[in-house]
Amino acid sequence: MGWVSLPLLLSLLWRVQEHSIQAYEWATVCGQPQTHERILGGQDTTQSQWPWQASLKYKTHHWCGASLIHSSWVLTAAHCFQDLADDPSVWRVQLGSQSSKSHKLSFSFLHARRVSRIILHPYYLGWPPKDIALVKLQSPIFFMRSILPICLPSSINEFKNLTNCWVTGWGKIKENQVLGKPWYLKAAKLPIIDQETCDKYYHVGTTLPLFIARIYDDMLCAGFEDGSKDACQGDSGGPLACEVNGSWHLIGIVSWGDGCGRPFRPSVFTNVSLHTDWILTTINSSTFSLIPSKLVVLLTLQLYYVSLEPISQGAYLRSDQCGHDLS
Ligand SMILES: *[C@@H]1O[C@H](CO)[C@@H](O)[C@H](O)[C@H]1NC(C)=O
Ligand SMILES: *[C@@H]1O[C@H](CO)[C@@H](O)[C@H](O)[C@H]1NC(C)=O
Ligand SMILES: *[C@@H]1O[C@H](CO)[C@@H](O)[C@H](O)[C@H]1NC(C)=O
Ligand SMILES: *[C@@H]1O[C@H](CO)[C@@H](O)[C@H](O)[C@H]1NC(C)=O
């Protein structure tokens, strides 16, 4: 702990100040973006409009969307992991970035995390329903203007009459067209479609009898009959966020669809409110709650300090190595 490292610590603290970082396990507020810019359907958006949006990366590649719900946890779709849920080391979570390719010069330890645990829903059998998974970050993320959690729908509250719902993601913009440079997050406003109507839509153009349901259990639909706006490949795992009483709630997780933007084939999401109890129980039971959250912040800072120290000796920088693959 030589004098050489003191300026580093000070500059780190200055950055902490600069970003007005707050860290809680559960935020005291959720679903409150700090910006009120106008959004147009299907257009680019700024990250601070959707500060809970995360990119789940397989090594360095954007693979799925995810949503921040706690300083150490994001929620995504179980199908994103395919056979790779047993190896958290190949996954990264990037937050606070408008582009799915993160900025090289950003302080990536503030914005990106390795993954320490992947918990698929115990009844997920390789295909929806129960297409939901919890991902634990290796260390808590700091909340700032561009990184804030979204509210979980309480399993008791019924969410009826949802009129302001948006899907966001870095996925394909058409069935055969990937998102181009600068890979900015897109948002589209979608109306919720009730399960019965959606199931009827999904039978249009098939010989399947109506008594064999295609949309059932925890599947929730949103979109247009004519398919004019839709989620697509690469949006999977991302949020369907709805504003209720002035707060944004994570109502759905992008799960599947039949192609993208096709008529009578709206996007299908996992209905999060059916899983709120599982989410809370799982997080509560895997968080070491004996350590008060303020202490966690101090310990984390201490850890950064320790890992920053070797810089002056030209040695290996741990926090840098953590974010390295993401640039
Ligand atoms: C649903 O929301 C709309 C628009 O906010 C409102 O005009 C309408 O009265 C609401 N209906 C119910 C049943 O709450
Ligand atoms: C929104 O506000 C209404 C009226 O105050 C209340 O009945 C309802 O439970 C609230 N919904 C949520 C999700 O908090
Ligand atoms: C989602 O599940 C809840 C039950 O928790 C239900 O009340 C609601 O209608 C479902 N949403 C849709 C759009 O099917
Ligand atoms: C989990 O912890 C949160 C925050 O302390 C609390 O609000 C919630 O009721 C807990 N849920 C369960 C299922 O233990």
Side-chain angles (χ1 to χ4, degrees):
M1 212 173 137
W3 283 107
V4 194
S5 44
L6 190 62
L8 286 170
L9 179 63
L10 288 177
S11 79
L12 177 78
L13 287 176
W14 177 76
R15 296 237 145 69
V16 166
Q17 190 71 32
E18 183 192 38
H19 285 91
S20 63
I21 288 166
Q22 323 153 32
Y24 308 95
E25 291 180 355
W26 294 96
T28 46
V29 284
C30 55
Q32 299 282 341
Q34 302 298 296
T35 184
H36 299 282
E37 292 155 56
R38 270 185 58 217
I39 311 154
L40 298 168
Q43 294 218 343
D44 294 343
T45 71
T46 63
Q47 170 63 28
S48 48
Q49 286 168 333
W50 312 105
W52 44 80
Q53 174 82 48
S55 162
L56 176 69
K57 291 171 185 285
Y58 174 74
K59 294 178 179 165
T60 57
H61 305 286
H62 170 77
W63 191 254
C64 270
S67 307
L68 187 69
I69 55 169
H70 175 281
S71 60
S72 294
W73 294 87
V74 296
L75 199 60
T76 186
H79 80 261
C80 290
F81 297 103
Q82 294 171 5
D83 303 330
L84 293 164
D86 294 335
D87 184 9
S89 71
V90 298
W91 300 96
R92 301 283 185 281
V93 173
Q94 181 193 301
L95 284 138
S97 172
Q98 183 184 11
S99 172
S100 61
K101 316 243 177 196
S102 63
H103 19 84
K104 277 204 177 74
L105 296 175
S106 73
F107 294 88
S108 48
F109 73 88
L110 284 176
H111 295 108
R113 289 291 182 274
R114 286 170 178 260
V115 167
S116 68
R117 283 190 74 185
I118 297 165
I119 305 173
L120 307 188
H121 191 284
Y123 299 137
Y124 175 72
L125 300 174
W127 184 253
K130 320 293 185 202
D131 189 10
I132 184 168
L134 275 162
V135 175
K136 188 171 192 191
L137 311 180
Q138 215 169 48
S139 59
I141 198 97
F142 294 114
F143 297 150
M144 55 186 86
R145 193 179 146 88
S146 60
I147 304 181
L148 290 169
I150 187 168
C151 306
L152 284 174
S154 134
S155 53
I156 307 153
N157 280 354
E158 287 233 337
F159 284 80
K160 288 198 173 125
N161 199 17
L162 295 170
T163 51
N164 194 16
C165 296
W166 292 75
V167 64
T168 48
W170 288 284
K172 287 187 177 178
I173 50 178
K174 283 186 187 149
E175 232 174 277
N176 50 9
Q177 194 181 345
V178 296
L179 182 67
K181 219 174 164 182
W183 308 284
Y184 281 169
L185 187 65
K186 299 262 180 197
K189 189 175 182 180
L190 302 180
I192 305 278
I193 300 173
D194 69 84
Q195 236 184 17
E196 200 183 329
T197 309
C198 187
D199 191 51
K200 277 185 193 142
Y201 285 172
Y202 264 86
H203 282 80
V204 172
T206 70
T207 52
L208 208 64
L210 268 176
F211 65 82
I212 301 178
R214 295 193 69 191
I215 307 296
Y216 54 95
D217 202 288
D218 65 356
M219 299 178 194
L220 178 158
C221 301
F224 296 89
E225 200 180 290
D226 66 359
S228 57
K229 283 180 202 161
D230 199 7
C232 201
Q233 208 183 330
D235 291 325
S236 278
L240 177 71
C242 304
E243 195 187 8
V244 186
N245 292 353
S247 296
W248 290 85
H249 289 77
L250 184 61
I251 296 299
I253 297 172
V254 181
S255 176
W256 64 282
D258 199 347
C260 315
R262 298 186 189 176
F264 299 111
R265 296 294 185 271
S267 291
V268 186
F269 301 80
T270 307
N271 186 338
V272 175
S273 63
L274 290 162
H275 299 293
T276 305
D277 288 341
W278 172 72
I279 295 165
L280 293 178
T281 312
T282 308
I283 292 184
N284 286 4
S285 64
S286 24
T287 300
F288 189 49
S289 53
L290 290 178
I291 302 178
S293 51
K294 281 199 179 113
L295 196 56
V296 172
V297 178
L298 290 177
L299 287 173
T300 314
L301 282 177
Q302 182 65 23
L303 205 68
Y304 286 143
Y305 174 62
V306 170
S307 65
L308 279 168
E309 211 176 11
I311 295 182
S312 53
Q313 295 143 25
Y316 174 79
L317 181 62
R318 196 168 142 231
S319 57
D320 189 35
Q321 191 240 348
C322 283
H324 188 70
D325 285 346
L326 291 174
S327 35

